[in-house]
Amino acid sequence: MKYEFLKQEINDWLNGYFANKGTYEKIVFEAMSYSLNNTGKRIRPILMLLTYGMYKENYKDIMPFACALEMIHTYSLIHDDLPCMDNDDLRRGKPTNHKVYGEAVATLAGDALLNEAFNVMLKECLCGDISKIKATYIISKSASAYGMIGGQIVDILSEGKAISEDELRFMHKKKTGELIKAALLAGAVLAEASDYDIKLIEQFGENLGLAFQIKDDILDVIGNSDKLGKKTNSDLINKKVTFVSLYGLEKCKLMLDSINDECLEILKRLRKDTNELEKITVFLFNRDF
Amino acid sequence: MKYEFLKQEINDWLNGYFANKGTYEKIVFEAMSYSLNNTGKRIRPILMLLTYGMYKENYKDIMPFACALEMIHTYSLIHDDLPCMDNDDLRRGKPTNHKVYGEAVATLAGDALLNEAFNVMLKECLCGDISKIKATYIISKSASAYGMIGGQIVDILSEGKAISEDELRFMHKKKTGELIKAALLAGAVLAEASDYDIKLIEQFGENLGLAFQIKDDILDVIGNSDKLGKKTNSDLINKKVTFVSLYGLEKCKLMLDSINDECLEILKRLRKDTNELEKITVFLFNRDF
């Protein structure tokens, strides 16, 4: 299973998902679909499928969980872009949801995507499979105030304020790291991996999540806005403390190298075919978008 | 089990729920708690507990589901009150969430309450009990774009526009009716009621939800703003089509009487001790807040 192949599978699954839904409320499905079907990297669902794929072959069985996670990620972006939050006009090279549908519909479309993720996962849970229920719970917790939302709150409140290294790490661990870790953990739990493996995958996920955010901070400074599909230097403009503002570019690059090594080291200890997870790790550390 | 007793139990459960939660993100828990712990009628959780109580005695077993539903209801109010939605300053006699915490925190507190409801219910589902998973799914669907959010979208988009009776009914059935119906259905499913009973309870729920909204529309015109804890005539000010604007006050009151009779008739057919459900039905039809 290759990255590009899985990405296409995910896009296909999501693409038709809201087709022909709704009557009077049709616009909410259009707005949900608009943000869900874009040029996103699909990192989280791919990570889940690749983790699952180390143990089992029938990756299609867990597509609903992978795509539900992407719905949660997408809702968080829609709300993040709102005028009362980051006030962004562009996301992945397209006008943000509220720029197209207005703030009210965008707010509700975000709500609805979060809720739809649970519709999708719970439908799968009706069979009573404990590993599916566990995976749904892991994803739910990771997105909640104990996870992603906790990080978003700190992000919003820290604008224009000096925050400590500890607070910055808390923010990034939660805001970006939690969903990435949940993707890996849910994949492992769905595949009924051993507790030993799950522990390692959790460590890998924590490192990968941190690296993902450091890379984001770096790209915001040195990235190409066309490739990124959004404005660069937004952290500087919004007066946000980032890894780059705290440590400088060079030290951030060194940190990335060190985390990269650690990630690959952990994968080795899994004693599985971790080839594809290694490749995506290297890809994530070297991406320019 | 009496209405007031259950209301107190629910308030007690919710009151301590977010105590001492959070560090850097503490404010999101405070904001969630602010809207959750208020003078709400707790209609939805009470309906769930009373329905369950017709079949089983251990109502405490389903308190997490009842309170999760109240979290969903509360999140919908926080988002409904936002400036980009209804732009309300007052809710149940207190400043709305965004008036106290700002729009960004209020948006995230709403998101977090919806998400927390799933944390709560999924934790209960980890035991693998199918009726709990079914109840969680029922609640999830009822709150989603296929349910409540679908109604909210139509509500927002219909402001200042003439809409048909069909669209008005669609809106109210979804916006208010779905969660009320889900409260009753989840209670019945959790109690493992028969399919025959569940069908009747569903009919009862649909009628009660419709009546609840007609009553809301009436109170917005003739209610006392002090008792209601919010401004009256908001529908008129926001140029919204309501049952009252469509049919006039007198016809609305007749409609209520007729639905009331139908509700009580359905309850009779259940052949259970429906005394408490009858009382709350009469209470809801006659409430002045």
Side-chain angles (χ1 to χ4, degrees):
Chain A
M1 291 194 300
K2 306 286 180 200
Y3 173 89
E4 282 300 334
F5 171 78
L6 289 177
K7 189 173 161 185
Q8 191 54 48
E9 291 274 291
I10 292 158
N11 284 341
D12 289 348
W13 197 99
L14 291 172
N15 197 33
Y17 189 79
F18 291 118
N20 306 315
K21 294 264 166 76
T23 55
Y24 295 121
E25 82 290 32
K26 201 172 188 49
I27 196 152
V28 74
F29 293 108
E30 285 174 18
M32 290 158 89
S33 206
Y34 173 79
S35 290
L36 197 57
N37 295 299
N38 52 28
T39 54
K41 295 182 283 293
R42 312 301 194 195
I43 293 299
R44 291 154 194 81
I46 288 172
L47 286 172
M48 194 192 296
L49 295 172
L50 290 179
T51 307
Y52 185 84
M54 292 193 297
Y55 302 88
K56 298 202 171 179
E57 289 194 350
N58 54 340
Y59 72 93
K60 278 187 194 276
D61 285 3
I62 68 151
M63 281 298 280
F65 292 91
C67 292
L69 190 60
E70 188 69 7
M71 288 180 185
I72 294 177
H73 173 58
T74 305
Y75 117 78
S76 78
L77 299 181
I78 296 176
H79 282 191
D80 247 5
D81 288 337
L82 286 171
C84 70
M85 309 277 276
D86 281 356
N87 195 20
D88 278 318
D89 297 347
L90 221 56
R91 166 73 67 183
R92 292 165 181 162
K94 291 199 304 184
T96 45
N97 201 290
H98 65 271
K99 280 280 155 192
V100 179
Y101 297 96
E103 282 180 59
V105 173
T107 303
L108 290 169
D111 294 345
L113 275 171
L114 172 61
N115 203 139
E116 190 61 25
F118 288 104
N119 282 350
V120 169
M121 294 188 286
L122 284 163
K123 193 176 171 195
E124 297 297 310
C125 290
L126 288 172
C127 65
D129 182 335
I130 297 287
S131 55
K132 291 185 174 174
I133 304 165
K134 273 188 197 164
T136 308
Y137 187 52
I138 287 168
I139 291 168
S140 183
K141 289 276 278 192
S142 76
S144 73
Y146 308 110
M148 182 179 68
I149 294 174
Q152 288 173 302
I153 280 281
V154 175
D155 190 20
I156 288 295
L157 297 179
S158 67
E159 261 185 44
K161 262 177 51 187
I163 59 169
S164 66
E165 182 185 332
D166 190 48
E167 195 164 354
L168 179 72
R169 281 183 182 266
F170 174 96
M171 175 178 100
H172 283 337
K173 194 180 156 188
K174 302 264 180 182
K175 185 177 167 164
T176 320
E178 284 282 343
L179 278 203
I180 287 178
K181 191 170 75 176
L184 295 149
L185 273 180
V189 165
L190 286 164
E192 295 170 323
S194 68
D195 288 349
Y196 175 83
D197 282 13
I198 287 174
K199 198 81 208 157
L200 283 175
I201 287 165
E202 187 169 10
Q203 281 173 30
F204 172 73
E206 282 194 2
N207 280 292
L208 196 66
L210 181 63
F212 193 86
Q213 188 58 51
I214 296 176
K215 186 78 196 187
D216 247 20
D217 287 356
I218 292 175
L219 286 173
D220 192 59
V221 176
I222 63 165
N224 178 310
S225 66
D226 284 344
K227 277 201 167 180
L228 290 165
K230 61 182 179 183
K231 277 184 291 195
T232 50
N233 287 312
S234 71
D235 294 328
L236 197 67
I237 292 162
N238 292 328
K239 293 186 185 145
K240 283 190 182 179
V241 174
T242 68
F243 278 96
V244 177
S245 73
L246 212 58
Y247 303 110
L249 259 180
E250 285 316 305
K251 186 157 179 214
C252 282
K253 286 179 185 168
L254 290 174
M255 281 162 79
L256 264 193
D257 286 344
S258 148
I259 301 172
N260 188 20
D261 292 347
E262 200 165 337
C263 279
L264 297 176
E265 182 57 38
I266 295 171
L267 286 182
K268 275 201 189 81
R269 286 160 64 197
L270 273 173
R271 291 190 234 160
K272 289 275 165 192
D273 178 1
T274 57
N275 195 27
E276 290 301 322
L277 270 184
E278 278 165 42
K279 274 200 263 180
I280 199 169
T281 303
V282 172
F283 164 77
L284 287 177
F285 281 84
N286 292 292
R287 71 196 163 93
D288 59 0
F289 65 96
Chain B
M1 292 196 301
K2 306 288 181 199
Y3 173 89
E4 282 300 332
F5 170 78
L6 289 176
K7 189 174 161 185
Q8 190 55 48
E9 290 274 289
I10 292 157
N11 284 340
D12 289 347
W13 197 99
L14 291 172
N15 197 32
Y17 189 78
F18 291 117
N20 306 315
K21 294 264 166 78
T23 55
Y24 296 121
E25 82 290 33
K26 200 170 189 51
I27 197 156
V28 75
F29 293 109
E30 285 174 17
M32 291 157 91
S33 206
Y34 173 79
S35 289
L36 198 56
N37 294 299
N38 51 29
T39 54
K41 295 184 279 297
R42 310 302 194 194
I43 293 299
R44 292 154 193 81
I46 288 172
L47 286 172
M48 193 192 295
L49 295 172
L50 289 179
T51 307
Y52 185 84
M54 291 193 299
Y55 301 88
K56 299 203 170 178
E57 289 194 351
N58 52 341
Y59 71 94
K60 279 185 194 278
D61 285 3
I62 69 152
M63 281 297 281
F65 292 90
C67 292
L69 189 61
E70 188 69 7
M71 288 180 185
I72 294 177
H73 173 57
T74 305
Y75 117 78
S76 78
L77 300 181
I78 295 176
H79 282 191
D80 247 5
D81 288 338
L82 285 171
C84 69
M85 308 278 275
D86 282 356
N87 194 21
D88 278 319
D89 297 346
L90 220 55
R91 167 72 67 181
R92 292 167 182 159
K94 290 199 305 185
T96 45
N97 201 289
H98 65 271
K99 280 280 156 190
V100 179
Y101 296 98
E103 281 181 58
V105 174
T107 302
L108 290 169
D111 294 345
L113 274 171
L114 172 62
N115 203 139
E116 189 61 25
F118 288 104
N119 282 348
V120 169
M121 293 188 287
L122 285 163
K123 193 176 172 196
E124 296 297 309
C125 289
L126 289 172
C127 65
D129 182 335
I130 297 287
S131 55
K132 290 184 174 174
I133 304 165
K134 272 189 196 166
T136 308
Y137 187 52
I138 287 168
I139 290 169
S140 183
K141 291 276 277 191
S142 76
S144 73
Y146 308 108
M148 181 178 70
I149 294 174
Q152 287 173 303
I153 279 283
V154 175
D155 190 21
I156 287 295
L157 297 179
S158 67
E159 260 185 44
K161 262 178 50 189
I163 59 169
S164 67
E165 180 183 333
D166 190 48
E167 194 164 353
L168 178 71
R169 280 182 183 266
F170 173 94
M171 174 177 100
H172 282 340
K173 193 181 154 186
K174 302 261 180 186
K175 185 178 165 159
T176 320
E178 285 282 342
L179 278 204
I180 286 178
K181 191 169 77 178
L184 294 150
L185 273 180
V189 166
L190 286 164
E192 296 171 323
S194 69
D195 288 349
Y196 175 83
D197 281 14
I198 286 174
K199 197 83 208 155
L200 284 176
I201 287 166
E202 187 168 11
Q203 280 174 33
F204 172 72
E206 282 194 0
N207 280 290
L208 196 65
L210 181 63
F212 193 86
Q213 188 58 53
I214 296 175
K215 187 77 196 187
D216 247 20
D217 287 356
I218 293 175
L219 286 174
D220 191 60
V221 176
I222 64 165
N224 178 310
S225 66
D226 283 343
K227 275 201 168 183
L228 290 166
K230 60 182 180 184
K231 277 185 290 194
T232 51
N233 287 311
S234 70
D235 295 328
L236 197 68
I237 292 162
N238 292 329
K239 291 183 184 148
K240 284 191 181 177
V241 174
T242 69
F243 278 96
V244 177
S245 74
L246 212 59
Y247 303 110
L249 258 181
E250 285 316 305
K251 189 160 177 212
C252 282
K253 286 180 186 169
L254 290 174
M255 281 162 79
L256 263 194
D257 286 345
S258 146
I259 302 171
N260 188 21
D261 291 347
E262 201 165 334
C263 280
L264 297 177
E265 183 57 38
I266 295 170
L267 286 183
K268 276 203 189 78
R269 285 159 64 198
L270 273 173
R271 292 190 233 158
K272 288 276 165 192
D273 178 1
T274 58
N275 195 27
E276 291 301 321
L277 270 184
E278 276 166 44
K279 274 199 264 179
I280 199 170
T281 303
V282 172
F283 163 76
L284 287 177
F285 281 82
N286 292 292
R287 71 196 161 95
D288 59 0
F289 65 97

